[in-house]
Amino acid sequence: MEKYRLPMVPGPVSVPQQILDAAVVNYGSADLEKEYIDLYKATEKALQKIMRTRNSVVIQTGEGMLALWGALKSCLQPGDKVLALSTGLFGYGIGEMAESLGCEVRTVGFSFDESITDFETVERAIREFCPKMITMVQSETPSGTLNPVGRIGDLKEKYNVPLLYVDAVSGLGGSVVETDKWHVDLCLGASQKCLSAPANMAFLSVSERAWEIIEETGYVGYDALMPFREAVRNRYFPYTPYWHGTAQLYAACCLILDEGLTRVINRHEKVAAYCRERALQMGLTLFPAADAILSPTVTALYVPKGVSWKKLDAALREEGLVVGGNYGCLAGKVFRIGHMGAQADMQLVKEAMDVLEKTVLDF
């Protein structure tokens, strides 16, 4: 595979060598080795700090969708009511996932270029529908937007909704996430975005209320959460843990915590502001609407008029810059610059924007 000198995709992001080097030579079954148990516990503690939670954190072997599916299947049964708050591809997709499990899903939908702002409509839906679970996305990667999870968490508490499920995969470690303060029961993350580790580990925080519901549901499967509740204490995991991946995930967490989470978030916000300023100066148009909350981890831009995405992408790659295309209704219309994790680097972003400007002007 060709190597590009300016990787600016919105995940999986480029992995620093020190994280790659963190992979350990494991031996035997991790369940039986004290070293792995210690590593798992240390990784959980580090993730709790990044997620701002005292809830337990489950660490699974697999890409982020494993946690998204596992949390739904471990908590929901056919006929359960799910209120899906949707502002983009992933928000609507989570609702569809719940429907596939036989749940009764009501979607409060917004345009893909918006953030959730109509709280009266959301509150009315909660009051009338009485859901068991509310689902939402904190950072909608294809759209480059953030959603105000805290406002929804307050409504969840006001109406005693049992579960708030939040996909924070592309925001965690690069934007403010306050799991406990926002009353999030299931906060979902993955290794390959702001944590800059390989795309092989999923994780999520689980509240005590969520654990009670998980036990009541009794779901059994590879992605089931229940076996993890006592896995460390019993030294018995439901499947062979990925020792290398856990070690790399821990190293990724340490990089963030050593720099300081607040500083890391500020770095993401700074490069995001610079990226957008440069994009506007060269005549490009932001995809999110004027009143949307912009994500500090990814910038979504309209493909310039008169240029196909295929030609723009090819021209950028010739210059060593690779950015992200898009999906569904945004495919071919909106592209994305991923300034997250190791790519939230001002010098890297400056070089990338220089290439983008030159390429756009050449068209």
Side-chain angles (χ1 to χ4, degrees):
M1 180 178 178
E2 185 176 358
K3 184 175 182 180
Y4 298 98
R5 66 184 181 87
L6 297 171
M8 297 301 297
V9 293
V13 303
S14 55
V15 182
Q17 190 62 46
Q18 60 202 105
I19 293 179
L20 290 173
D21 292 343
V24 296
V25 179
N26 61 293
Y27 52 92
S29 174
D31 308 77
L32 303 178
E33 303 299 335
K34 181 179 183 299
E35 288 84 355
Y36 182 78
I37 299 297
D38 290 344
L39 173 63
Y40 186 99
K41 290 164 67 176
T43 307
E44 178 184 16
K45 185 176 181 179
L47 287 169
Q48 287 173 322
K49 292 179 180 179
I50 294 172
M51 301 173 86
R52 302 291 197 192
T53 184
R54 293 185 177 182
N55 294 332
S56 57
V57 175
V58 170
I59 303 169
Q60 299 174 295
T61 301
E63 196 274 331
M65 286 301 295
L66 179 68
L68 270 67
W69 272 113
L72 291 177
K73 290 193 275 188
S74 293
C75 294
L76 299 173
Q77 301 182 64
D80 283 344
K81 293 183 177 182
V82 175
L83 182 67
L85 308 182
S86 306
T87 60
L89 289 166
F90 286 102
Y92 284 95
I94 292 169
E96 293 170 359
M97 290 160 66
E99 281 185 338
S100 74
L101 300 178
C103 295
E104 180 183 349
V105 178
R106 179 178 295 185
T107 300
V108 177
F110 300 85
S111 297
F112 282 29
D113 61 352
E114 293 182 309
S115 300
I116 297 172
T117 55
D118 185 356
F119 300 106
E120 290 184 3
T121 295
V122 174
E123 182 170 5
R124 183 167 59 251
I126 294 173
R127 186 174 60 247
E128 295 175 354
F129 189 53
C130 300
K132 177 181 181 179
M133 176 187 284
I134 299 171
T135 68
M136 65 183 299
V137 176
Q138 181 251 352
S139 176
E140 188 69 65
T141 322
S143 302
T145 56
L146 286 183
N147 281 309
V149 179
R151 294 290 298 272
I152 305 305
D154 289 341
L155 291 175
K156 172 247 181 184
E157 288 291 290
K158 180 178 179 180
Y159 291 98
N160 296 313
V161 178
L163 296 171
L164 175 57
Y165 168 113
V166 176
D167 171 354
V169 169
S170 70
L172 192 65
S175 63
V176 176
V177 175
E178 294 279 358
T179 302
D180 291 354
K181 184 178 179 180
W182 294 346
H183 310 293
V184 179
D185 297 281
L186 300 155
C187 186
L188 316 164
S191 55
Q192 73 269 23
K193 299 287 188 177
C194 299
L195 274 66
S196 304
N200 53 29
M201 302 299 291
F203 54 87
L204 68 157
S205 64
V206 185
S207 71
E208 282 302 311
R209 179 64 178 127
W211 278 124
E212 293 172 2
I213 291 174
I214 290 167
E215 187 169 358
E216 293 169 2
T217 304
Y219 169 66
V220 177
Y222 179 83
D223 51 358
L225 298 181
M226 192 63 219
F228 285 91
R229 189 171 194 183
E230 303 294 338
V232 171
R233 181 181 301 176
N234 295 336
R235 289 193 168 201
Y236 190 78
F237 288 86
Y239 47 78
T240 302
Y242 185 31
W243 202 316
H244 288 60
T246 307
Q248 291 174 326
L249 180 59
Y250 177 64
C253 291
C254 288
L255 283 181
I256 291 175
L257 295 174
D258 289 346
E259 182 178 349
L261 183 58
T262 299
R263 289 183 179 180
V264 171
I265 293 172
N266 289 341
R267 171 163 55 83
H268 280 75
E269 292 175 345
K270 185 176 180 180
V271 298
Y274 174 82
C275 178
R276 287 160 186 149
E277 181 181 2
R278 284 289 305 274
L280 293 173
Q281 287 174 353
M282 66 183 78
L284 296 176
T285 304
L286 294 176
F287 172 69
D291 58 348
I293 306 171
L294 303 180
S295 173
T297 67
V298 58
T299 292
L301 298 162
Y302 281 102
V303 174
K305 291 183 179 179
V307 181
S308 71
W309 161 243
K310 185 176 180 179
K311 288 185 177 180
L312 176 62
D313 183 39
L316 294 176
R317 287 172 185 263
E318 285 183 5
E319 298 296 324
L321 171 61
V322 56
V323 297
N326 225 309
Y327 305 96
C329 63
L330 302 183
K333 302 176 183 177
V334 175
F335 70 100
R336 301 164 298 154
I337 300 172
H339 35 72
M340 59 177 69
Q343 297 168 188
D345 176 271
M346 184 60 78
Q347 185 58 40
L348 181 65
V349 175
K350 284 181 178 179
E351 292 182 31
M353 297 310 287
D354 287 344
V355 170
L356 180 60
E357 183 173 22
K358 175 182 180 299
T359 303
V360 169
L361 291 177
D362 285 346
F363 282 114

